[in-house]
Amino acid sequence: MPASTADAERERAALTHLCELLPDIRAASTGRPPEYQRLLTAIEAAAQARTPVADLLDELYRFDAAGAYRQLPHEMPFGPGHADQEIARCPDGACSRTERPRPAGLSPRCRVTGERMPTRATG
């Protein structure tokens, strides 16, 4: 039975969210119980296999009884900058994550698969 459009959009949004926050989630997992680590490993494996992750991700967020998810600070708005004329996208189109590459730098990598994200001109 094919997934509904709403289910497909939920999964796409969950994968996008995971891809955007995976470095922070990994950093916040340090010192967590083994069950948490196993769940995170299962989520990453499911994401790489392009199987559903939304329910697993919900379970990961509910794991902490206090509901506290510690996010690391975001990158400061100054620094080497970003290319204005290019946008990098998910390598296989599985999620909606986009990122502007650094000027004259390599394209960013997918945080789930590690593949380089292809770039396209925005102009």
Side-chain angles (χ1 to χ4, degrees):
M1 176 181 199
S4 72
T5 302
D7 289 342
E9 284 303 312
R10 178 176 180 250
E11 286 300 327
R12 185 174 182 84
L15 187 58
T16 300
H17 181 76
L18 176 65
C19 193
E20 289 172 349
L21 295 179
L22 191 54
D24 293 339
I25 294 170
R26 285 177 178 151
S29 72
T30 303
R32 300 277 180 128
E35 297 84 9
Y36 184 94
Q37 301 295 338
R38 282 193 290 275
L39 182 56
L40 180 54
T41 299
I43 291 169
E44 290 188 55
Q48 289 173 357
R50 298 300 193 238
T51 58
V53 297
D55 290 340
L56 293 170
L57 197 55
D58 285 345
E59 187 177 338
L60 185 77
Y61 286 145
R62 285 192 306 265
F63 190 91
D64 185 358
Y69 170 64
R70 180 178 55 91
Q71 263 188 299
L72 299 179
H74 291 282
E75 185 175 311
M76 298 305 287
F78 48 84
H82 291 86
D84 289 335
Q85 300 299 317
E86 292 183 326
I87 190 85
R89 301 186 189 283
C90 179
D92 62 3
C95 83
S96 301
R97 179 174 168 243
T98 60
E99 188 171 319
R100 293 211 182 267
R102 300 234 182 261
L106 294 173
S107 66
R109 289 187 180 274
C110 171
R111 293 176 180 156
V112 173
T113 66
E115 294 180 48
R116 290 262 178 228
M117 297 170 69
T119 58
R120 295 188 187 117
T122 59

